[in-house]
Amino acid sequence: MKTVIKTLLAATVLVGSVAPVPAFAQIASGFNSTSLGRNDDGSSGLVTLPFAINFYGQTYSGVYVNNNGNLTFNSANSTYTPGGLGSGYSGQPIIAPFYADVDTNNVGSGVAAYGNGIYNGHQAFGATWDGVGYFSSADKLNTFQALLVDRSDVGLNDFDIIFKYGNINWETGDASGGNDGLGGTSAAVGFNAGIGDANGTYYQAPGSLQNGALIDGGPDALNGEQLGFQVRAGLPVAIPPVAAAAPEPGTWAMMILGFGVVGFAMRNAKRRSDDKFDAKIKKITYGAVA
């Protein structure tokens, strides 16, 4: 039986990041060759990655794709209520584009799927949650994706983490204290090394665990957003900004913390053309909970 887990985390806000972003961070195609099928709280078996990755000093050659919006490395994860990905997290290494109670049993829901492909000219593994419902309904649907992109051209076992988002209409399952997909213990976005609470070993996106923050129209809405991190020698660092054709006034900033973790959030900008971008600044949290 499902139970409700609620975790209270201390909050500390630091400033980081900015980068130009395509007008809409579209879901990458082709990363859906293998389906998890309709399920609630299910997972894949260990999926062999097409390349090895170094995540916080540990080298991994396989990953578990979990229906509840996350990837893990040591074992499958059936936990459906997020306890946060910041300093209060207790568990194995995890990368989570949208950690919440995904339920795809309803025929109105899409299903989670994964596969290998090419992203920006590099080999990649991706997991895609395309129009998925929550426990236990499909009256609201979410679309999101996690990509692990091979960058062994830079360094041994280096890779990029990319999160992409379409519409985000729900934030929690009904067994996590929510009602009709809203309220309760809301979703968490980010990653954690699973090695303790040291600063620099985790990232939790702004709006995580906050009611109404990440859904469409919320103050930290994910719709159309892309979050990206270069992982070099095991440590996430900022992806350099792309030159913008028509940038807004402003500058970009970075904050290095602990091991030197720096992430960046790329926000939705007004669409002009496929190769024309706007720059937009966004505050994010490093090694702390927003």
PDB file of all heavy atoms in Angstrom, residues 27-58:
ATOM      1  N   ILE A  27      11.632  18.303 -26.825  1.00  0.00           N
ATOM      2  CA  ILE A  27      12.015  16.949 -26.473  1.00  0.00           C
ATOM      3  C   ILE A  27      12.780  16.334 -27.645  1.00  0.00           C
ATOM      4  O   ILE A  27      12.347  16.406 -28.800  1.00  0.00           O
ATOM      5  CB  ILE A  27      10.771  16.105 -26.149  1.00  0.00           C
ATOM      6  CG1 ILE A  27      10.005  16.706 -24.968  1.00  0.00           C
ATOM      7  CG2 ILE A  27      11.148  14.661 -25.876  1.00  0.00           C
ATOM      8  CD1 ILE A  27      10.780  16.747 -23.676  1.00  0.00           C
ATOM      9  N   ALA A  28      13.934  15.742 -27.365  1.00  0.00           N
ATOM     10  CA  ALA A  28      14.741  15.122 -28.419  1.00  0.00           C
ATOM     11  C   ALA A  28      14.082  13.829 -28.877  1.00  0.00           C
ATOM     12  O   ALA A  28      13.619  13.028 -28.069  1.00  0.00           O
ATOM     13  CB  ALA A  28      16.149  14.854 -27.905  1.00  0.00           C
ATOM     14  N   SER A  29      14.046  13.615 -30.172  1.00  0.00           N
ATOM     15  CA  SER A  29      13.398  12.429 -30.725  1.00  0.00           C
ATOM     16  C   SER A  29      14.337  11.226 -30.712  1.00  0.00           C
ATOM     17  O   SER A  29      15.559  11.367 -30.665  1.00  0.00           O
ATOM     18  CB  SER A  29      12.934  12.705 -32.158  1.00  0.00           C
ATOM     19  OG  SER A  29      14.055  12.999 -32.985  1.00  0.00           O
ATOM     20  N   GLY A  30      13.763  10.043 -30.745  1.00  0.00           N
ATOM     21  CA  GLY A  30      14.528   8.817 -30.912  1.00  0.00           C
ATOM     22  C   GLY A  30      14.910   8.091 -29.640  1.00  0.00           C
ATOM     23  O   GLY A  30      15.409   6.965 -29.694  1.00  0.00           O
ATOM     24  N   PHE A  31      14.675   8.698 -28.479  1.00  0.00           N
ATOM     25  CA  PHE A  31      15.081   8.070 -27.222  1.00  0.00           C
ATOM     26  C   PHE A  31      13.897   7.370 -26.557  1.00  0.00           C
ATOM     27  O   PHE A  31      13.548   7.639 -25.406  1.00  0.00           O
ATOM     28  CB  PHE A  31      15.718   9.112 -26.306  1.00  0.00           C
ATOM     29  CG  PHE A  31      16.968   9.714 -26.883  1.00  0.00           C
ATOM     30  CD1 PHE A  31      16.923  10.921 -27.562  1.00  0.00           C
ATOM     31  CD2 PHE A  31      18.181   9.056 -26.773  1.00  0.00           C
ATOM     32  CE1 PHE A  31      18.075  11.466 -28.117  1.00  0.00           C
ATOM     33  CE2 PHE A  31      19.338   9.593 -27.319  1.00  0.00           C
ATOM     34  CZ  PHE A  31      19.281  10.798 -28.000  1.00  0.00           C
ATOM     35  N   ASN A  32      13.283   6.470 -27.295  1.00  0.00           N
ATOM     36  CA  ASN A  32      12.069   5.808 -26.808  1.00  0.00           C
ATOM     37  C   ASN A  32      11.885   4.430 -27.430  1.00  0.00           C
ATOM     38  O   ASN A  32      10.751   3.959 -27.569  1.00  0.00           O
ATOM     39  CB  ASN A  32      10.850   6.687 -27.090  1.00  0.00           C
ATOM     40  CG  ASN A  32      10.675   6.993 -28.572  1.00  0.00           C
ATOM     41  OD1 ASN A  32      11.528   6.639 -29.399  1.00  0.00           O
ATOM     42  ND2 ASN A  32       9.577   7.649 -28.918  1.00  0.00           N
ATOM     43  N   SER A  33      12.964   3.772 -27.799  1.00  0.00           N
ATOM     44  CA  SER A  33      12.853   2.494 -28.501  1.00  0.00           C
ATOM     45  C   SER A  33      12.360   1.357 -27.608  1.00  0.00           C
ATOM     46  O   SER A  33      11.782   0.380 -28.090  1.00  0.00           O
ATOM     47  CB  SER A  33      14.193   2.110 -29.129  1.00  0.00           C
ATOM     48  OG  SER A  33      15.202   2.006 -28.137  1.00  0.00           O
ATOM     49  N   THR A  34      12.584   1.471 -26.297  1.00  0.00           N
ATOM     50  CA  THR A  34      12.157   0.425 -25.361  1.00  0.00           C
ATOM     51  C   THR A  34      11.217   1.025 -24.322  1.00  0.00           C
ATOM     52  O   THR A  34      11.567   1.982 -23.640  1.00  0.00           O
ATOM     53  CB  THR A  34      13.360  -0.210 -24.650  1.00  0.00           C
ATOM     54  OG1 THR A  34      14.260  -0.752 -25.622  1.00  0.00           O
ATOM     55  CG2 THR A  34      12.903  -1.321 -23.719  1.00  0.00           C
ATOM     56  N   SER A  35      10.031   0.464 -24.214  1.00  0.00           N
ATOM     57  CA  SER A  35       9.013   0.994 -23.310  1.00  0.00           C
ATOM     58  C   SER A  35       9.032   0.269 -21.973  1.00  0.00           C
ATOM     59  O   SER A  35       9.299  -0.938 -21.901  1.00  0.00           O
ATOM     60  CB  SER A  35       7.632   0.848 -23.959  1.00  0.00           C
ATOM     61  OG  SER A  35       6.604   1.115 -23.028  1.00  0.00           O
ATOM     62  N   LEU A  36       8.715   0.997 -20.912  1.00  0.00           N
ATOM     63  CA  LEU A  36       8.517   0.367 -19.604  1.00  0.00           C
ATOM     64  C   LEU A  36       7.148  -0.293 -19.508  1.00  0.00           C
ATOM     65  O   LEU A  36       6.878  -1.039 -18.557  1.00  0.00           O
ATOM     66  CB  LEU A  36       8.646   1.397 -18.479  1.00  0.00           C
ATOM     67  CG  LEU A  36      10.026   1.940 -18.164  1.00  0.00           C
ATOM     68  CD1 LEU A  36       9.967   2.836 -16.929  1.00  0.00           C
ATOM     69  CD2 LEU A  36      11.035   0.822 -17.956  1.00  0.00           C
ATOM     70  N   GLY A  37       6.292  -0.001 -20.479  1.00  0.00           N
ATOM     71  CA  GLY A  37       4.931  -0.524 -20.422  1.00  0.00           C
ATOM     72  C   GLY A  37       4.108   0.211 -19.376  1.00  0.00           C
ATOM     73  O   GLY A  37       4.614   1.050 -18.631  1.00  0.00           O
ATOM     74  N   ARG A  38       2.843  -0.114 -19.319  1.00  0.00           N
ATOM     75  CA  ARG A  38       1.965   0.546 -18.343  1.00  0.00           C
ATOM     76  C   ARG A  38       2.263  -0.007 -16.954  1.00  0.00           C
ATOM     77  O   ARG A  38       2.267  -1.226 -16.750  1.00  0.00           O
ATOM     78  CB  ARG A  38       0.508   0.357 -18.720  1.00  0.00           C
ATOM     79  CG  ARG A  38       0.169   0.976 -20.067  1.00  0.00           C
ATOM     80  CD  ARG A  38      -1.307   1.222 -20.247  1.00  0.00           C
ATOM     81  NE  ARG A  38      -1.539   1.888 -21.532  1.00  0.00           N
ATOM     82  CZ  ARG A  38      -1.380   3.193 -21.723  1.00  0.00           C
ATOM     83  NH1 ARG A  38      -1.012   3.965 -20.724  1.00  0.00           N
ATOM     84  NH2 ARG A  38      -1.585   3.728 -22.916  1.00  0.00           N
ATOM     85  N   ASN A  39       2.518   0.889 -16.008  1.00  0.00           N
ATOM     86  CA  ASN A  39       2.856   0.429 -14.667  1.00  0.00           C
ATOM     87  C   ASN A  39       2.744   1.585 -13.680  1.00  0.00           C
ATOM     88  O   ASN A  39       2.614   2.752 -14.059  1.00  0.00           O
ATOM     89  CB  ASN A  39       4.274  -0.146 -14.644  1.00  0.00           C
ATOM     90  CG  ASN A  39       5.346   0.924 -14.673  1.00  0.00           C
ATOM     91  OD1 ASN A  39       5.843   1.348 -13.628  1.00  0.00           O
ATOM     92  ND2 ASN A  39       5.713   1.387 -15.870  1.00  0.00           N
ATOM     93  N   ASP A  40       2.831   1.236 -12.431  1.00  0.00           N
ATOM     94  CA  ASP A  40       2.901   2.209 -11.348  1.00  0.00           C
ATOM     95  C   ASP A  40       4.072   1.808 -10.452  1.00  0.00           C
ATOM     96  O   ASP A  40       4.096   0.678  -9.942  1.00  0.00           O
ATOM     97  CB  ASP A  40       1.589   2.214 -10.550  1.00  0.00           C
ATOM     98  CG  ASP A  40       1.625   3.158  -9.366  1.00  0.00           C
ATOM     99  OD1 ASP A  40       2.263   4.222  -9.476  1.00  0.00           O
ATOM    100  OD2 ASP A  40       1.028   2.819  -8.322  1.00  0.00           O
ATOM    101  N   ASP A  41       5.047   2.680 -10.308  1.00  0.00           N
ATOM    102  CA  ASP A  41       6.224   2.457  -9.451  1.00  0.00           C
ATOM    103  C   ASP A  41       7.168   1.385  -9.988  1.00  0.00           C
ATOM    104  O   ASP A  41       7.989   0.850  -9.236  1.00  0.00           O
ATOM    105  CB  ASP A  41       5.826   2.098  -8.015  1.00  0.00           C
ATOM    106  CG  ASP A  41       4.915   3.126  -7.380  1.00  0.00           C
ATOM    107  OD1 ASP A  41       5.009   4.306  -7.777  1.00  0.00           O
ATOM    108  OD2 ASP A  41       4.110   2.755  -6.508  1.00  0.00           O
ATOM    109  N   GLY A  42       7.076   1.064 -11.277  1.00  0.00           N
ATOM    110  CA  GLY A  42       7.951   0.061 -11.869  1.00  0.00           C
ATOM    111  C   GLY A  42       9.275   0.644 -12.348  1.00  0.00           C
ATOM    112  O   GLY A  42       9.518   1.847 -12.282  1.00  0.00           O
ATOM    113  N   SER A  43      10.133  -0.239 -12.849  1.00  0.00           N
ATOM    114  CA  SER A  43      11.465   0.155 -13.324  1.00  0.00           C
ATOM    115  C   SER A  43      11.917  -0.808 -14.407  1.00  0.00           C
ATOM    116  O   SER A  43      11.402  -1.933 -14.531  1.00  0.00           O
ATOM    117  CB  SER A  43      12.491   0.127 -12.182  1.00  0.00           C
ATOM    118  OG  SER A  43      12.127   0.982 -11.125  1.00  0.00           O
ATOM    119  N   SER A  44      12.916  -0.392 -15.148  1.00  0.00           N
ATOM    120  CA  SER A  44      13.586  -1.301 -16.067  1.00  0.00           C
ATOM    121  C   SER A  44      14.541  -2.183 -15.262  1.00  0.00           C
ATOM    122  O   SER A  44      14.796  -1.931 -14.077  1.00  0.00           O
ATOM    123  CB  SER A  44      14.390  -0.512 -17.102  1.00  0.00           C
ATOM    124  OG  SER A  44      15.508   0.119 -16.472  1.00  0.00           O
ATOM    125  N   GLY A  45      15.084  -3.201 -15.899  1.00  0.00           N
ATOM    126  CA  GLY A  45      16.256  -3.856 -15.347  1.00  0.00           C
ATOM    127  C   GLY A  45      17.457  -2.952 -15.583  1.00  0.00           C
ATOM    128  O   GLY A  45      17.316  -1.823 -16.059  1.00  0.00           O
ATOM    129  N   LEU A  46      18.628  -3.430 -15.244  1.00  0.00           N
ATOM    130  CA  LEU A  46      19.831  -2.653 -15.498  1.00  0.00           C
ATOM    131  C   LEU A  46      20.034  -2.528 -17.005  1.00  0.00           C
ATOM    132  O   LEU A  46      20.177  -3.528 -17.706  1.00  0.00           O
ATOM    133  CB  LEU A  46      21.042  -3.315 -14.850  1.00  0.00           C
ATOM    134  CG  LEU A  46      22.369  -2.559 -15.000  1.00  0.00           C
ATOM    135  CD1 LEU A  46      22.303  -1.209 -14.277  1.00  0.00           C
ATOM    136  CD2 LEU A  46      23.519  -3.399 -14.455  1.00  0.00           C
ATOM    137  N   VAL A  47      20.025  -1.296 -17.500  1.00  0.00           N
ATOM    138  CA  VAL A  47      20.180  -1.027 -18.924  1.00  0.00           C
ATOM    139  C   VAL A  47      21.638  -0.656 -19.191  1.00  0.00           C
ATOM    140  O   VAL A  47      22.167   0.269 -18.572  1.00  0.00           O
ATOM    141  CB  VAL A  47      19.258   0.128 -19.371  1.00  0.00           C
ATOM    142  CG1 VAL A  47      19.444   0.412 -20.854  1.00  0.00           C
ATOM    143  CG2 VAL A  47      17.803  -0.199 -19.051  1.00  0.00           C
ATOM    144  N   THR A  48      22.275  -1.356 -20.092  1.00  0.00           N
ATOM    145  CA  THR A  48      23.667  -1.069 -20.418  1.00  0.00           C
ATOM    146  C   THR A  48      23.763   0.227 -21.210  1.00  0.00           C
ATOM    147  O   THR A  48      23.100   0.392 -22.238  1.00  0.00           O
ATOM    148  CB  THR A  48      24.290  -2.213 -21.233  1.00  0.00           C
ATOM    149  OG1 THR A  48      24.238  -3.418 -20.468  1.00  0.00           O
ATOM    150  CG2 THR A  48      25.736  -1.904 -21.574  1.00  0.00           C
ATOM    151  N   LEU A  49      24.546   1.156 -20.718  1.00  0.00           N
ATOM    152  CA  LEU A  49      24.766   2.411 -21.430  1.00  0.00           C
ATOM    153  C   LEU A  49      25.694   2.176 -22.622  1.00  0.00           C
ATOM    154  O   LEU A  49      26.566   1.295 -22.569  1.00  0.00           O
ATOM    155  CB  LEU A  49      25.386   3.452 -20.496  1.00  0.00           C
ATOM    156  CG  LEU A  49      24.508   3.930 -19.337  1.00  0.00           C
ATOM    157  CD1 LEU A  49      25.332   4.789 -18.363  1.00  0.00           C
ATOM    158  CD2 LEU A  49      23.316   4.720 -19.857  1.00  0.00           C
ATOM    159  N   PRO A  50      25.564   2.963 -23.685  1.00  0.00           N
ATOM    160  CA  PRO A  50      26.452   2.796 -24.843  1.00  0.00           C
ATOM    161  C   PRO A  50      27.857   3.350 -24.603  1.00  0.00           C
ATOM    162  O   PRO A  50      28.720   3.258 -25.469  1.00  0.00           O
ATOM    163  CB  PRO A  50      25.730   3.575 -25.944  1.00  0.00           C
ATOM    164  CG  PRO A  50      24.909   4.592 -25.220  1.00  0.00           C
ATOM    165  CD  PRO A  50      24.490   3.938 -23.932  1.00  0.00           C
ATOM    166  N   PHE A  51      28.086   3.913 -23.421  1.00  0.00           N
ATOM    167  CA  PHE A  51      29.379   4.447 -23.025  1.00  0.00           C
ATOM    168  C   PHE A  51      29.416   4.498 -21.508  1.00  0.00           C
ATOM    169  O   PHE A  51      28.377   4.571 -20.851  1.00  0.00           O
ATOM    170  CB  PHE A  51      29.608   5.844 -23.614  1.00  0.00           C
ATOM    171  CG  PHE A  51      28.432   6.769 -23.408  1.00  0.00           C
ATOM    172  CD1 PHE A  51      28.295   7.536 -22.256  1.00  0.00           C
ATOM    173  CD2 PHE A  51      27.439   6.847 -24.374  1.00  0.00           C
ATOM    174  CE1 PHE A  51      27.201   8.358 -22.060  1.00  0.00           C
ATOM    175  CE2 PHE A  51      26.326   7.672 -24.197  1.00  0.00           C
ATOM    176  CZ  PHE A  51      26.207   8.423 -23.039  1.00  0.00           C
ATOM    177  N   ALA A  52      30.583   4.453 -20.923  1.00  0.00           N
ATOM    178  CA  ALA A  52      30.718   4.541 -19.464  1.00  0.00           C
ATOM    179  C   ALA A  52      30.744   6.004 -19.047  1.00  0.00           C
ATOM    180  O   ALA A  52      31.190   6.878 -19.802  1.00  0.00           O
ATOM    181  CB  ALA A  52      31.993   3.841 -19.013  1.00  0.00           C
ATOM    182  N   ILE A  53      30.251   6.291 -17.839  1.00  0.00           N
ATOM    183  CA  ILE A  53      30.241   7.657 -17.321  1.00  0.00           C
ATOM    184  C   ILE A  53      30.855   7.693 -15.924  1.00  0.00           C
ATOM    185  O   ILE A  53      30.750   6.747 -15.160  1.00  0.00           O
ATOM    186  CB  ILE A  53      28.813   8.240 -17.280  1.00  0.00           C
ATOM    187  CG1 ILE A  53      27.908   7.425 -16.348  1.00  0.00           C
ATOM    188  CG2 ILE A  53      28.218   8.304 -18.684  1.00  0.00           C
ATOM    189  CD1 ILE A  53      26.529   8.032 -16.138  1.00  0.00           C
ATOM    190  N   ASN A  54      31.473   8.806 -15.626  1.00  0.00           N
ATOM    191  CA  ASN A  54      32.040   9.057 -14.297  1.00  0.00           C
ATOM    192  C   ASN A  54      31.154  10.076 -13.599  1.00  0.00           C
ATOM    193  O   ASN A  54      31.124  11.247 -13.976  1.00  0.00           O
ATOM    194  CB  ASN A  54      33.472   9.574 -14.423  1.00  0.00           C
ATOM    195  CG  ASN A  54      34.100   9.933 -13.078  1.00  0.00           C
ATOM    196  OD1 ASN A  54      33.478   9.783 -12.017  1.00  0.00           O
ATOM    197  ND2 ASN A  54      35.322  10.433 -13.098  1.00  0.00           N
ATOM    198  N   PHE A  55      30.435   9.620 -12.578  1.00  0.00           N
ATOM    199  CA  PHE A  55      29.529  10.491 -11.825  1.00  0.00           C
ATOM    200  C   PHE A  55      30.026  10.543 -10.390  1.00  0.00           C
ATOM    201  O   PHE A  55      29.949   9.561  -9.659  1.00  0.00           O
ATOM    202  CB  PHE A  55      28.104   9.934 -11.900  1.00  0.00           C
ATOM    203  CG  PHE A  55      27.036  10.819 -11.318  1.00  0.00           C
ATOM    204  CD1 PHE A  55      26.909  12.141 -11.712  1.00  0.00           C
ATOM    205  CD2 PHE A  55      26.119  10.316 -10.395  1.00  0.00           C
ATOM    206  CE1 PHE A  55      25.900  12.946 -11.191  1.00  0.00           C
ATOM    207  CE2 PHE A  55      25.117  11.105  -9.871  1.00  0.00           C
ATOM    208  CZ  PHE A  55      25.009  12.434 -10.266  1.00  0.00           C
ATOM    209  N   TYR A  56      30.592  11.678 -10.002  1.00  0.00           N
ATOM    210  CA  TYR A  56      31.150  11.879  -8.664  1.00  0.00           C
ATOM    211  C   TYR A  56      32.175  10.797  -8.294  1.00  0.00           C
ATOM    212  O   TYR A  56      32.155  10.254  -7.191  1.00  0.00           O
ATOM    213  CB  TYR A  56      30.044  11.952  -7.625  1.00  0.00           C
ATOM    214  CG  TYR A  56      29.263  13.241  -7.690  1.00  0.00           C
ATOM    215  CD1 TYR A  56      27.987  13.268  -8.240  1.00  0.00           C
ATOM    216  CD2 TYR A  56      29.800  14.434  -7.212  1.00  0.00           C
ATOM    217  CE1 TYR A  56      27.266  14.454  -8.312  1.00  0.00           C
ATOM    218  CE2 TYR A  56      29.087  15.618  -7.270  1.00  0.00           C
ATOM    219  CZ  TYR A  56      27.820  15.624  -7.831  1.00  0.00           C
ATOM    220  OH  TYR A  56      27.111  16.790  -7.897  1.00  0.00           O
ATOM    221  N   GLY A  57      33.068  10.504  -9.233  1.00  0.00           N
ATOM    222  CA  GLY A  57      34.178   9.611  -8.952  1.00  0.00           C
ATOM    223  C   GLY A  57      33.883   8.134  -9.106  1.00  0.00           C
ATOM    224  O   GLY A  57      34.795   7.308  -8.981  1.00  0.00           O
ATOM    225  N   GLN A  58      32.638   7.775  -9.380  1.00  0.00           N
ATOM    226  CA  GLN A  58      32.263   6.389  -9.610  1.00  0.00           C
ATOM    227  C   GLN A  58      31.958   6.192 -11.097  1.00  0.00           C
ATOM    228  O   GLN A  58      31.264   7.005 -11.708  1.00  0.00           O
ATOM    229  CB  GLN A  58      31.044   6.010  -8.784  1.00  0.00           C
ATOM    230  CG  GLN A  58      31.261   6.059  -7.285  1.00  0.00           C
ATOM    231  CD  GLN A  58      32.281   5.034  -6.812  1.00  0.00           C
ATOM    232  OE1 GLN A  58      32.264   3.871  -7.226  1.00  0.00           O
ATOM    233  NE2 GLN A  58      33.193   5.460  -5.937  1.00  0.00           N
TER     234      GLN A  58
END
